[in-house]
Amino acid sequence: MTTSTVLTTTPRFIAPAHPLVGPDERAAVESVLRSGALAQGAEVAAFEAEFAEVVDGRECVAVNSGTSALHLGMLAAGIGLGDEVIVPSFTFAATANAVALCGATPVFADIDPETYCLDPAHVGSVITARTAAIMPVHLFGQPAPMAELVALGQRHGLAVFEDACQAHLATLDGTPAGAFGDVAAFSFYPTKNMTTGEGGMVVCADPVVARRVRLLRNQGMEKRYANELVGFNTRMTEMAAAMGRVQLRRLPGFTATRRHNAALLSEGLARVSAPVVRPGAAHVYHQFTVRAPERDRVVEALQADGIGVGVYYPTPVHRLPAYSEDLDLPVTAVAAAEVLSLPVHPALLPDEIDRIISATNSAIERLGR
Ligand SMILES: *Cc1c(COP(=O)(O)O)cnc(C)c1O
């Protein structure tokens, strides 16, 4: 092998996300497997009770995904045919899909250019007689402006839901994400700040809504074969819940590491602005998102350097074929064209953070200005 071959070899790939699953998760799952009780039972109940502690004691119902959590939470809160629910377009499609799956219409509103969360002023401008709810997304791990959005909801008699799928342990003025709205949804997909493989949690302010979520999760049954309504099977497995209980105990450590990594990236990046944190917000850095005008070329260069950079999200949801709405959301359009997310997950090694910083600085110097 010649020297030049060695030098042109792609450096070790730095993954965009890396779930940290260790011996404690394995032991917990194995103990469930040994017990033989595999579907929704004692582990799920314990996981729900423990998760409640991180959302101000609100009642929690575990389900099989974040999408199910959004869907069942809204159905249980009464969202249905003819209702409009205001959502951001700069989000993962599941936010809007959950609205559409209720038979309701997602109405897309624009975002704040610095935090990428819903802009309350624009939300106010798209409220109609049919608007039933507002669903902000705590995007990238930063809470949306909840005081303003909850006040807007109260003024217009609207429910407020939270897509908290990226915001485990994030807070705003001391209140945890998930404890602001009528219903909130978390995801435990492997790329999220904690994981159960697949899984989700519905957080309910009202125990009556929580009971309805429990029914919808299990074919409409509380008592076996006494179905009270038409429901789904969106139950969580005992293996997932056992894993979730361990991950929840590790979550404060994961979060501290994400914040530490974000601080190192912010300090080292010379030619892009670090993510803006709203006053009073505690960001949990599900993603570390920056922007560059020549974004696609910067992404290509970083990928060639073995950096697992991501683009969340390249197409606003209202422009996806599933929705294809002819709607002008200028702030969303610019964000979708310029954002890129650098690895920030807690599995990063110090030398990997250095590599991310130097590769990003040099790529942006060459291409992104
Ligand atoms: C991940 C995610 C979802 C969906 O969660 P799943 O567990 O993948 O179904 C919904 N909304 C947002 C903003 C997400 O990031």
Side-chain angles (χ1 to χ4, degrees):
M1 219 196 283
T2 67
T3 310
S4 70
T5 312
V6 173
L7 287 174
T8 55
T9 299
T10 307
R12 188 165 38 87
F13 180 66
I14 301 174
H18 184 107
L20 285 169
V21 176
D24 290 352
E25 285 85 348
R26 279 195 282 277
V29 171
E30 181 161 4
S31 129
V32 167
L33 293 173
R34 283 183 200 287
S35 79
L38 306 188
Q40 187 180 293
E43 290 290 333
V44 169
F47 184 34
E48 290 174 344
E50 288 159 11
F51 201 86
E53 291 171 23
V54 303
V55 285
D56 272 0
R58 290 190 171 195
E59 188 164 344
C60 293
V61 185
V63 291
N64 62 352
S65 74
T67 306
S68 294
L70 288 165
H71 181 201
L72 269 56
M74 278 190 286
L75 280 179
I79 298 300
L81 204 65
D83 289 331
E84 294 178 355
V85 177
I86 300 170
V87 296
S89 179
F90 192 61
T91 179
F92 184 50
T95 312
N97 290 350
V99 174
L101 288 169
C102 291
T105 305
V107 171
F108 299 100
D110 217 343
I111 52 168
D112 173 78
E114 291 196 316
T115 61
Y116 310 113
C117 291
L118 272 182
D119 169 8
H122 194 248
V123 170
S125 78
V126 298
I127 292 175
T128 72
R130 296 191 151 203
T131 307
I134 308 169
M135 182 153 64
V137 179
H138 304 311
L139 199 71
F140 304 142
Q142 163 147 256
M146 295 310 294
E148 294 84 341
L149 292 169
V150 168
L152 193 61
Q154 278 169 352
R155 214 154 50 239
H156 294 268
L158 311 175
V160 175
F161 306 133
E162 295 170 72
D163 183 337
C165 286
Q166 305 184 351
H168 320 68
L169 295 192
T171 62
L172 181 61
D173 298 322
T175 300
F180 287 97
D182 298 281
V183 174
F186 287 85
S187 166
F188 307 121
Y189 186 72
T191 58
K192 304 295 159 97
N193 291 31
M194 61 175 280
T195 185
T196 61
E198 295 275 11
M201 192 70 80
V202 190
V203 179
C204 305
D206 179 353
V208 174
V209 172
R211 179 172 187 274
R212 218 173 291 139
V213 175
R214 292 184 191 285
L215 288 173
L216 288 169
R217 167 178 72 175
N218 189 33
Q219 315 282 8
M221 295 189 292
E222 183 174 275
K223 262 206 315 256
R224 189 173 296 221
Y225 309 132
N227 308 52
E228 296 174 41
L229 44 79
V230 178
F232 304 83
N233 171 3
T234 54
R235 296 182 298 260
M236 178 176 270
T237 68
E238 286 286 275
M239 291 78 81
M243 186 172 164
R245 296 179 68 194
V246 176
Q247 289 269 302
L248 186 59
R249 288 197 291 277
R250 299 179 69 189
L251 182 61
F254 293 161
T255 305
T257 307
R258 282 180 183 274
R259 288 186 176 134
H260 178 69
N261 292 346
L264 293 175
L265 291 170
S266 300
E267 201 179 291
L269 290 171
R271 291 179 171 80
V272 292
S273 311
V276 173
V277 182
R278 181 180 297 110
H283 200 312
V284 295
Y285 297 100
H286 170 63
Q287 298 294 344
F288 186 95
T289 302
V290 297
R291 44 213 300 176
E294 292 287 329
R295 191 267 318 278
D296 291 342
R297 298 172 67 198
V298 172
V299 166
E300 233 170 78
L302 288 175
Q303 276 165 352
D305 279 342
I307 314 284
V309 63
V311 174
Y312 315 106
Y313 297 88
T315 308
V317 175
H318 75 281
R319 299 283 187 202
L320 294 171
Y323 293 94
S324 55
E325 278 184 37
D326 189 15
L327 183 70
D328 199 22
L329 299 176
V331 184
T332 293
V334 174
E338 292 190 350
V339 290
L340 60 128
S341 297
L342 301 170
V344 71
H345 57 78
L348 290 176
L349 303 170
D351 72 294
E352 293 179 320
I353 294 175
D354 292 342
R355 261 183 62 202
I356 295 165
I357 290 169
S358 59
T360 306
N361 283 344
S362 83
I364 292 193
E365 181 175 28
R366 276 181 288 128
L367 308 164
R369 279 274 101 209

